[in-house]
Amino acid sequence: MSDKKITLIGAGLVGSLAAVFLAKRGFEVEVFERRSDMRKENISAGRSINLALANRGIYPLEQVGLMDKVNAMLTPMKGRMVHDLEGNLNLQPYGQKQEEVIYSVSRADLNTLCMDAAEAEGNVNIHFNQKCIGVDFENNLLQLKDEITGKEYEKPFTRVIGTDGSASAVRDAIHAVHSDHNYAEQLGHSYKELCIPAGSDGDFQMEPHALHIWPRGGYMLIALPNLDKSFTVTLFMPNDGEISFENINDKDKLNAFFAEHFPDAVPLLPELEKDYFENPTGHLATVRCSPWHYQDKALLIGDAAHAVVPFHGQGMNCGFEDVSELDAQIKKYAGDWEKIFSETDKLRQPNGNAIADMAIENYITMRDSVRDDKFLMRSALAFELEKRFPDYFCPRYSMVMFHRLPYAEAQSRGSIQEEILQQLTKSIESVEQVDYSEAEELVKAKLQPLVLNP
Ligand SMILES: Cc1cc2nc3c(=O)[nH]c(=O)nc-3n(C[C@H](O)[C@H](O)[C@H](O)COP(=O)(O)OP(=O)(O)OC[C@H]3O[C@@H](n4cnc5c(N)ncnc54)[C@H](O)[C@@H]3O)c2cc1C
């Protein structure tokens, strides 16, 4: 088979963007997608209808010239709008510069745009309803199943890229022949999508330019705006225990729970009972595996390699960054596929692990810390240190969301910065009392100069 052929398994967000990049490099791309064509049928209900797109995801879209079209799909969110129990609102900005916002975007619209763009290249074929059920690496054969007819068949391949999400069949096939580790850590919490529709005047019922959060300690509600002026709302809660999906299992308990814990959201959720009982409960897990590749034959990217919990809004962004890195390696090692795959694996794995850790930590931040005065003081101080020492200090959230330095570096700098923030605030009550000469000494002694967008 020609060295110009590449097979992708999965035409989700990462697979369809990867198809665009590969097609632009002149490859003939065959994509096998388990589901039917979402452009013809609505298949996304109840499964993260919208997502936060941030700088790391925007950059690869810019590289292939898609951002002009994507821009029209975006609703900027400037910060977290925190709803307390009394219904008071407090906007906590994500950044301190005008451009430091994240964007709500419809999963289906973005996926559709990437699939359309891939097919428009002329050298991409997406085969829907075709599920990968295995890979025979010895004979270079993909094992596929037609989901409509039930027929199983084999197809030869030269190189296969697994973009088949968190339950990846390609990952299982790679790890059947060579595995250092391959496991999913269950979070013990799940999610349910609900909806705040547009108001009777056709407008948003809450501030549209924010990610709304109802933090309640062990659980939380969040809401992201949609272009049709509705909000997609997600309830995150433990699987079992007193307040849990297991326990809140009838209409009375559900209504009592919402009335007590999210009173200001209740009038905005007219279909609460229907959404809660009819929408699927999504489970949350972190997938960690190594290796992400097999010889010069197979590579994993996106959730197939590193499914993360959604609390940093980075799963797709990280997957898009994988695609951009793969493209850079294809350019660098033209034709040496063992090197292309092994380098992509080596460069991305530490970053996949870092964002997985930070996403779990951010669950605590979102559901709990955003209500804590000490946390808010440290956040305010982090902004102040960024202003005073921009060559050294950048809040961790900003490094992850607004810049492109490797996640692993954002994580390690973030821990040093947290120590500095803890030290400077340990015996004071407000940011005005910070000793900035001590701050300068600490920042310059402990942190190397910053390169935000290498
Ligand atoms: C509630 C929630 C909120 C989220 N919010 C955000 C956010 O705000 N920002 C963000 O960046 N990320 C977010 N994410 C993460 C994001 O959804 C994923 O990281 C992203 O979808 C990964 O894209 P992917 O293409 O790798 O995998 P997927 O989107 O899972 O796509 C995989 C594709 O492969 C297909 N497939 C699967 N198995 C097979 C098979 N055996 N054969 C053929 N095809 C197959 C699937 O049908 C699918 O089309 C969120 C996730 C959840 C659950």
PDB file of all heavy atoms in Angstrom, residues 45-71:
ATOM      1  N   ALA A  45     -27.457  14.531  21.787  1.00  0.00           N
ATOM      2  CA  ALA A  45     -28.257  14.919  22.952  1.00  0.00           C
ATOM      3  C   ALA A  45     -27.718  14.312  24.241  1.00  0.00           C
ATOM      4  O   ALA A  45     -27.433  13.121  24.304  1.00  0.00           O
ATOM      5  CB  ALA A  45     -29.694  14.501  22.734  1.00  0.00           C
ATOM      6  N   GLY A  46     -27.609  15.140  25.253  1.00  0.00           N
ATOM      7  CA  GLY A  46     -27.218  14.655  26.564  1.00  0.00           C
ATOM      8  C   GLY A  46     -25.735  14.386  26.714  1.00  0.00           C
ATOM      9  O   GLY A  46     -25.293  13.869  27.720  1.00  0.00           O
ATOM     10  N   ARG A  47     -24.911  14.776  25.734  1.00  0.00           N
ATOM     11  CA  ARG A  47     -23.488  14.458  25.812  1.00  0.00           C
ATOM     12  C   ARG A  47     -22.666  15.700  25.508  1.00  0.00           C
ATOM     13  O   ARG A  47     -22.352  15.961  24.387  1.00  0.00           O
ATOM     14  CB  ARG A  47     -23.169  13.352  24.821  1.00  0.00           C
ATOM     15  CG  ARG A  47     -21.770  12.840  24.961  1.00  0.00           C
ATOM     16  CD  ARG A  47     -21.522  11.672  24.043  1.00  0.00           C
ATOM     17  NE  ARG A  47     -20.101  11.379  24.025  1.00  0.00           N
ATOM     18  CZ  ARG A  47     -19.259  11.897  23.140  1.00  0.00           C
ATOM     19  NH1 ARG A  47     -19.675  12.721  22.212  1.00  0.00           N
ATOM     20  NH2 ARG A  47     -17.984  11.586  23.196  1.00  0.00           N
ATOM     21  N   SER A  48     -22.388  16.461  26.517  1.00  0.00           N
ATOM     22  CA  SER A  48     -21.637  17.726  26.437  1.00  0.00           C
ATOM     23  C   SER A  48     -21.934  18.450  25.123  1.00  0.00           C
ATOM     24  O   SER A  48     -21.140  18.466  24.196  1.00  0.00           O
ATOM     25  CB  SER A  48     -20.152  17.509  26.712  1.00  0.00           C
ATOM     26  OG  SER A  48     -19.332  17.468  25.644  1.00  0.00           O
ATOM     27  N   ILE A  49     -23.099  19.052  25.113  1.00  0.00           N
ATOM     28  CA  ILE A  49     -23.611  19.746  23.933  1.00  0.00           C
ATOM     29  C   ILE A  49     -22.700  20.915  23.552  1.00  0.00           C
ATOM     30  O   ILE A  49     -22.460  21.172  22.378  1.00  0.00           O
ATOM     31  CB  ILE A  49     -25.047  20.201  24.228  1.00  0.00           C
ATOM     32  CG1 ILE A  49     -25.944  18.966  24.161  1.00  0.00           C
ATOM     33  CG2 ILE A  49     -25.532  21.303  23.281  1.00  0.00           C
ATOM     34  CD1 ILE A  49     -27.273  19.113  24.785  1.00  0.00           C
ATOM     35  N   ASN A  50     -22.194  21.598  24.566  1.00  0.00           N
ATOM     36  CA  ASN A  50     -21.230  22.656  24.244  1.00  0.00           C
ATOM     37  C   ASN A  50     -19.941  22.458  25.041  1.00  0.00           C
ATOM     38  O   ASN A  50     -19.902  21.729  26.025  1.00  0.00           O
ATOM     39  CB  ASN A  50     -21.834  24.053  24.447  1.00  0.00           C
ATOM     40  CG  ASN A  50     -22.365  24.257  25.844  1.00  0.00           C
ATOM     41  OD1 ASN A  50     -21.973  23.557  26.770  1.00  0.00           O
ATOM     42  ND2 ASN A  50     -23.262  25.210  25.994  1.00  0.00           N
ATOM     43  N   LEU A  51     -18.913  23.130  24.564  1.00  0.00           N
ATOM     44  CA  LEU A  51     -17.579  22.965  25.154  1.00  0.00           C
ATOM     45  C   LEU A  51     -16.906  24.314  25.237  1.00  0.00           C
ATOM     46  O   LEU A  51     -17.243  25.226  24.457  1.00  0.00           O
ATOM     47  CB  LEU A  51     -16.695  22.120  24.229  1.00  0.00           C
ATOM     48  CG  LEU A  51     -17.139  20.759  23.815  1.00  0.00           C
ATOM     49  CD1 LEU A  51     -16.832  20.543  22.354  1.00  0.00           C
ATOM     50  CD2 LEU A  51     -16.431  19.727  24.642  1.00  0.00           C
ATOM     51  N   ALA A  52     -15.909  24.398  26.133  1.00  0.00           N
ATOM     52  CA  ALA A  52     -15.106  25.617  26.189  1.00  0.00           C
ATOM     53  C   ALA A  52     -13.896  25.452  25.266  1.00  0.00           C
ATOM     54  O   ALA A  52     -13.121  24.502  25.407  1.00  0.00           O
ATOM     55  CB  ALA A  52     -14.649  25.868  27.616  1.00  0.00           C
ATOM     56  N   LEU A  53     -13.791  26.350  24.307  1.00  0.00           N
ATOM     57  CA  LEU A  53     -12.629  26.355  23.409  1.00  0.00           C
ATOM     58  C   LEU A  53     -11.672  27.436  23.927  1.00  0.00           C
ATOM     59  O   LEU A  53     -12.104  28.547  24.247  1.00  0.00           O
ATOM     60  CB  LEU A  53     -13.091  26.697  21.985  1.00  0.00           C
ATOM     61  CG  LEU A  53     -12.008  26.858  20.913  1.00  0.00           C
ATOM     62  CD1 LEU A  53     -11.337  25.517  20.604  1.00  0.00           C
ATOM     63  CD2 LEU A  53     -12.618  27.430  19.618  1.00  0.00           C
ATOM     64  N   ALA A  54     -10.397  27.096  24.012  1.00  0.00           N
ATOM     65  CA  ALA A  54      -9.414  28.057  24.532  1.00  0.00           C
ATOM     66  C   ALA A  54      -8.224  28.109  23.571  1.00  0.00           C
ATOM     67  O   ALA A  54      -8.213  27.457  22.527  1.00  0.00           O
ATOM     68  CB  ALA A  54      -8.989  27.660  25.939  1.00  0.00           C
ATOM     69  N   ASN A  55      -7.235  28.886  23.981  1.00  0.00           N
ATOM     70  CA  ASN A  55      -6.111  29.207  23.104  1.00  0.00           C
ATOM     71  C   ASN A  55      -5.429  28.002  22.453  1.00  0.00           C
ATOM     72  O   ASN A  55      -5.109  28.007  21.270  1.00  0.00           O
ATOM     73  CB  ASN A  55      -5.093  29.985  23.947  1.00  0.00           C
ATOM     74  CG  ASN A  55      -4.317  30.951  23.122  1.00  0.00           C
ATOM     75  OD1 ASN A  55      -4.558  31.064  21.923  1.00  0.00           O
ATOM     76  ND2 ASN A  55      -3.384  31.643  23.722  1.00  0.00           N
ATOM     77  N   ARG A  56      -5.252  26.938  23.246  1.00  0.00           N
ATOM     78  CA  ARG A  56      -4.546  25.762  22.699  1.00  0.00           C
ATOM     79  C   ARG A  56      -5.337  25.080  21.601  1.00  0.00           C
ATOM     80  O   ARG A  56      -4.760  24.454  20.716  1.00  0.00           O
ATOM     81  CB  ARG A  56      -4.301  24.723  23.806  1.00  0.00           C
ATOM     82  CG  ARG A  56      -3.317  25.155  24.815  1.00  0.00           C
ATOM     83  CD  ARG A  56      -3.315  24.195  25.999  1.00  0.00           C
ATOM     84  NE  ARG A  56      -2.648  24.840  27.110  1.00  0.00           N
ATOM     85  CZ  ARG A  56      -1.335  24.778  27.320  1.00  0.00           C
ATOM     86  NH1 ARG A  56      -0.582  24.056  26.544  1.00  0.00           N
ATOM     87  NH2 ARG A  56      -0.787  25.434  28.333  1.00  0.00           N
ATOM     88  N   GLY A  57      -6.669  25.173  21.699  1.00  0.00           N
ATOM     89  CA  GLY A  57      -7.509  24.587  20.653  1.00  0.00           C
ATOM     90  C   GLY A  57      -7.640  25.526  19.466  1.00  0.00           C
ATOM     91  O   GLY A  57      -7.807  25.078  18.321  1.00  0.00           O
ATOM     92  N   ILE A  58      -7.572  26.821  19.737  1.00  0.00           N
ATOM     93  CA  ILE A  58      -7.723  27.815  18.665  1.00  0.00           C
ATOM     94  C   ILE A  58      -6.512  27.781  17.726  1.00  0.00           C
ATOM     95  O   ILE A  58      -6.657  27.873  16.505  1.00  0.00           O
ATOM     96  CB  ILE A  58      -7.913  29.222  19.284  1.00  0.00           C
ATOM     97  CG1 ILE A  58      -9.299  29.302  19.942  1.00  0.00           C
ATOM     98  CG2 ILE A  58      -7.728  30.334  18.247  1.00  0.00           C
ATOM     99  CD1 ILE A  58      -9.565  30.564  20.714  1.00  0.00           C
ATOM    100  N   TYR A  59      -5.328  27.609  18.305  1.00  0.00           N
ATOM    101  CA  TYR A  59      -4.112  27.680  17.485  1.00  0.00           C
ATOM    102  C   TYR A  59      -4.112  26.658  16.336  1.00  0.00           C
ATOM    103  O   TYR A  59      -3.913  27.029  15.170  1.00  0.00           O
ATOM    104  CB  TYR A  59      -2.875  27.540  18.402  1.00  0.00           C
ATOM    105  CG  TYR A  59      -1.575  27.548  17.655  1.00  0.00           C
ATOM    106  CD1 TYR A  59      -1.102  28.720  17.064  1.00  0.00           C
ATOM    107  CD2 TYR A  59      -0.829  26.384  17.528  1.00  0.00           C
ATOM    108  CE1 TYR A  59       0.086  28.720  16.355  1.00  0.00           C
ATOM    109  CE2 TYR A  59       0.366  26.378  16.826  1.00  0.00           C
ATOM    110  CZ  TYR A  59       0.820  27.540  16.237  1.00  0.00           C
ATOM    111  OH  TYR A  59       1.993  27.534  15.537  1.00  0.00           O
ATOM    112  N   PRO A  60      -4.398  25.371  16.599  1.00  0.00           N
ATOM    113  CA  PRO A  60      -4.448  24.417  15.470  1.00  0.00           C
ATOM    114  C   PRO A  60      -5.551  24.756  14.468  1.00  0.00           C
ATOM    115  O   PRO A  60      -5.365  24.579  13.252  1.00  0.00           O
ATOM    116  CB  PRO A  60      -4.743  23.073  16.138  1.00  0.00           C
ATOM    117  CG  PRO A  60      -4.371  23.256  17.563  1.00  0.00           C
ATOM    118  CD  PRO A  60      -4.553  24.696  17.894  1.00  0.00           C
ATOM    119  N   LEU A  61      -6.682  25.269  14.942  1.00  0.00           N
ATOM    120  CA  LEU A  61      -7.745  25.657  14.004  1.00  0.00           C
ATOM    121  C   LEU A  61      -7.260  26.796  13.112  1.00  0.00           C
ATOM    122  O   LEU A  61      -7.579  26.854  11.919  1.00  0.00           O
ATOM    123  CB  LEU A  61      -9.016  26.070  14.770  1.00  0.00           C
ATOM    124  CG  LEU A  61      -9.762  24.923  15.482  1.00  0.00           C
ATOM    125  CD1 LEU A  61     -10.764  25.468  16.496  1.00  0.00           C
ATOM    126  CD2 LEU A  61     -10.474  24.022  14.473  1.00  0.00           C
ATOM    127  N   GLU A  62      -6.454  27.695  13.711  1.00  0.00           N
ATOM    128  CA  GLU A  62      -5.864  28.777  12.896  1.00  0.00           C
ATOM    129  C   GLU A  62      -4.874  28.224  11.890  1.00  0.00           C
ATOM    130  O   GLU A  62      -4.817  28.661  10.740  1.00  0.00           O
ATOM    131  CB  GLU A  62      -5.129  29.784  13.794  1.00  0.00           C
ATOM    132  CG  GLU A  62      -6.053  30.827  14.379  1.00  0.00           C
ATOM    133  CD  GLU A  62      -5.374  31.656  15.465  1.00  0.00           C
ATOM    134  OE1 GLU A  62      -4.259  31.292  15.914  1.00  0.00           O
ATOM    135  OE2 GLU A  62      -5.992  32.664  15.876  1.00  0.00           O
ATOM    136  N   GLN A  63      -4.091  27.227  12.323  1.00  0.00           N
ATOM    137  CA  GLN A  63      -3.060  26.680  11.423  1.00  0.00           C
ATOM    138  C   GLN A  63      -3.660  26.165  10.118  1.00  0.00           C
ATOM    139  O   GLN A  63      -3.032  26.233   9.079  1.00  0.00           O
ATOM    140  CB  GLN A  63      -2.310  25.522  12.117  1.00  0.00           C
ATOM    141  CG  GLN A  63      -1.322  25.966  13.172  1.00  0.00           C
ATOM    142  CD  GLN A  63      -0.595  24.762  13.732  1.00  0.00           C
ATOM    143  OE1 GLN A  63      -1.201  23.876  14.340  1.00  0.00           O
ATOM    144  NE2 GLN A  63       0.704  24.690  13.528  1.00  0.00           N
ATOM    145  N   VAL A  64      -4.886  25.621  10.202  1.00  0.00           N
ATOM    146  CA  VAL A  64      -5.499  25.094   8.964  1.00  0.00           C
ATOM    147  C   VAL A  64      -6.571  26.035   8.422  1.00  0.00           C
ATOM    148  O   VAL A  64      -7.391  25.654   7.583  1.00  0.00           O
ATOM    149  CB  VAL A  64      -6.071  23.666   9.149  1.00  0.00           C
ATOM    150  CG1 VAL A  64      -4.960  22.642   9.227  1.00  0.00           C
ATOM    151  CG2 VAL A  64      -6.973  23.580  10.365  1.00  0.00           C
ATOM    152  N   GLY A  65      -6.548  27.286   8.918  1.00  0.00           N
ATOM    153  CA  GLY A  65      -7.399  28.322   8.329  1.00  0.00           C
ATOM    154  C   GLY A  65      -8.881  28.185   8.626  1.00  0.00           C
ATOM    155  O   GLY A  65      -9.713  28.693   7.869  1.00  0.00           O
ATOM    156  N   LEU A  66      -9.206  27.535   9.769  1.00  0.00           N
ATOM    157  CA  LEU A  66     -10.640  27.354  10.053  1.00  0.00           C
ATOM    158  C   LEU A  66     -11.213  28.399  11.008  1.00  0.00           C
ATOM    159  O   LEU A  66     -12.434  28.452  11.197  1.00  0.00           O
ATOM    160  CB  LEU A  66     -10.894  25.961  10.642  1.00  0.00           C
ATOM    161  CG  LEU A  66     -10.721  24.785   9.674  1.00  0.00           C
ATOM    162  CD1 LEU A  66     -10.990  23.464  10.373  1.00  0.00           C
ATOM    163  CD2 LEU A  66     -11.679  24.941   8.483  1.00  0.00           C
ATOM    164  N   MET A  67     -10.339  29.220  11.624  1.00  0.00           N
ATOM    165  CA  MET A  67     -10.856  30.085  12.688  1.00  0.00           C
ATOM    166  C   MET A  67     -11.854  31.132  12.198  1.00  0.00           C
ATOM    167  O   MET A  67     -12.739  31.530  12.940  1.00  0.00           O
ATOM    168  CB  MET A  67      -9.712  30.748  13.471  1.00  0.00           C
ATOM    169  CG  MET A  67      -9.314  30.028  14.715  1.00  0.00           C
ATOM    170  SD  MET A  67     -10.645  29.336  15.740  1.00  0.00           S
ATOM    171  CE  MET A  67     -11.223  30.763  16.637  1.00  0.00           C
ATOM    172  N   ASP A  68     -11.728  31.568  10.950  1.00  0.00           N
ATOM    173  CA  ASP A  68     -12.694  32.565  10.468  1.00  0.00           C
ATOM    174  C   ASP A  68     -14.114  32.020  10.580  1.00  0.00           C
ATOM    175  O   ASP A  68     -15.030  32.720  11.011  1.00  0.00           O
ATOM    176  CB  ASP A  68     -12.421  32.933   8.999  1.00  0.00           C
ATOM    177  CG  ASP A  68     -11.244  33.882   8.906  1.00  0.00           C
ATOM    178  OD1 ASP A  68     -10.814  34.355   9.980  1.00  0.00           O
ATOM    179  OD2 ASP A  68     -10.755  34.116   7.778  1.00  0.00           O
ATOM    180  N   LYS A  69     -14.256  30.754  10.187  1.00  0.00           N
ATOM    181  CA  LYS A  69     -15.594  30.149  10.272  1.00  0.00           C
ATOM    182  C   LYS A  69     -15.963  29.838  11.723  1.00  0.00           C
ATOM    183  O   LYS A  69     -17.113  29.989  12.124  1.00  0.00           O
ATOM    184  CB  LYS A  69     -15.642  28.860   9.448  1.00  0.00           C
ATOM    185  CG  LYS A  69     -15.679  29.134   7.962  1.00  0.00           C
ATOM    186  CD  LYS A  69     -15.915  27.856   7.193  1.00  0.00           C
ATOM    187  CE  LYS A  69     -15.908  28.149   5.710  1.00  0.00           C
ATOM    188  NZ  LYS A  69     -15.522  27.001   4.917  1.00  0.00           N
ATOM    189  N   VAL A  70     -14.985  29.395  12.515  1.00  0.00           N
ATOM    190  CA  VAL A  70     -15.284  29.034  13.905  1.00  0.00           C
ATOM    191  C   VAL A  70     -15.708  30.285  14.696  1.00  0.00           C
ATOM    192  O   VAL A  70     -16.609  30.222  15.540  1.00  0.00           O
ATOM    193  CB  VAL A  70     -14.066  28.341  14.571  1.00  0.00           C
ATOM    194  CG1 VAL A  70     -14.310  28.103  16.054  1.00  0.00           C
ATOM    195  CG2 VAL A  70     -13.766  27.018  13.876  1.00  0.00           C
ATOM    196  N   ASN A  71     -15.093  31.423  14.394  1.00  0.00           N
ATOM    197  CA  ASN A  71     -15.401  32.654  15.137  1.00  0.00           C
ATOM    198  C   ASN A  71     -16.893  32.937  15.211  1.00  0.00           C
ATOM    199  O   ASN A  71     -17.405  33.389  16.239  1.00  0.00           O
ATOM    200  CB  ASN A  71     -14.709  33.858  14.495  1.00  0.00           C
ATOM    201  CG  ASN A  71     -13.315  34.017  15.061  1.00  0.00           C
ATOM    202  OD1 ASN A  71     -13.089  33.771  16.250  1.00  0.00           O
ATOM    203  ND2 ASN A  71     -12.364  34.408  14.213  1.00  0.00           N
TER     204      ASN A  71
END
